[in-house]
């Protein structure tokens, strides 16, 4: 049985997650906190997150992963999982 939230629908823009997170210029908010690990308090800024996403993409590309490929990821629960989706 479907259930509806008592809150209004969320507007989901028609852009990639990377574009949504960083926009046209990450420099405008590079120093702002993007992720916080609730168990350790470790934080990552948008600037560092953007650089880490670029590093992951470059690493996967260097290993032959291309658009449309399917890969499996295994790891512990962590805010850094965002790197796999952005």
């Amino acid at each position: 049985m479907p259930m509806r939230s008592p809150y209004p629908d969320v507007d989901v823009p028609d852009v990639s997650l990377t574009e949504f997170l960083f926009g046209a210029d990450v420099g405008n908010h590079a120093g702002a906190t993007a992720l916080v690990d609730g168990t350790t308090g470790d934080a990552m800024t948008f600037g560092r997150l953007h650089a880490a996403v670029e590093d992951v993409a470059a690493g996967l590309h260097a290993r032959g992963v291309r658009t449309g490929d399917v890969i499996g990821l295994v790891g512990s629960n962590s805010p850094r999982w965002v790197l796999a989706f952005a």
Side-chain angles (χ1 to χ4, degrees):
M1 164 193 252
M3 297 184 70
R4 300 257 333 146
S5 170
Y7 302 102
D9 289 344
V10 175
D11 181 35
V12 178
D14 189 23
V15 298
S16 69
L17 179 58
T18 304
E19 187 177 343
F20 180 75
L21 284 174
F22 306 120
D25 182 17
V26 71
N28 290 334
H29 54 278
T33 302
L35 299 171
V36 177
D37 185 332
T39 59
T40 66
D42 288 340
M44 182 183 287
T45 65
F46 278 97
R48 178 63 193 122
L49 177 60
H50 186 258
V53 167
E54 297 272 321
D55 290 346
V56 169
L60 291 172
H61 189 269
R63 288 163 179 79
V65 177
R66 300 294 183 264
T67 300
D69 289 351
V70 177
I71 61 172
L73 302 172
V74 177
S76 60
N77 192 11
S78 162
R80 297 190 188 275
W81 270 102
V82 171
L83 300 176
F85 299 105

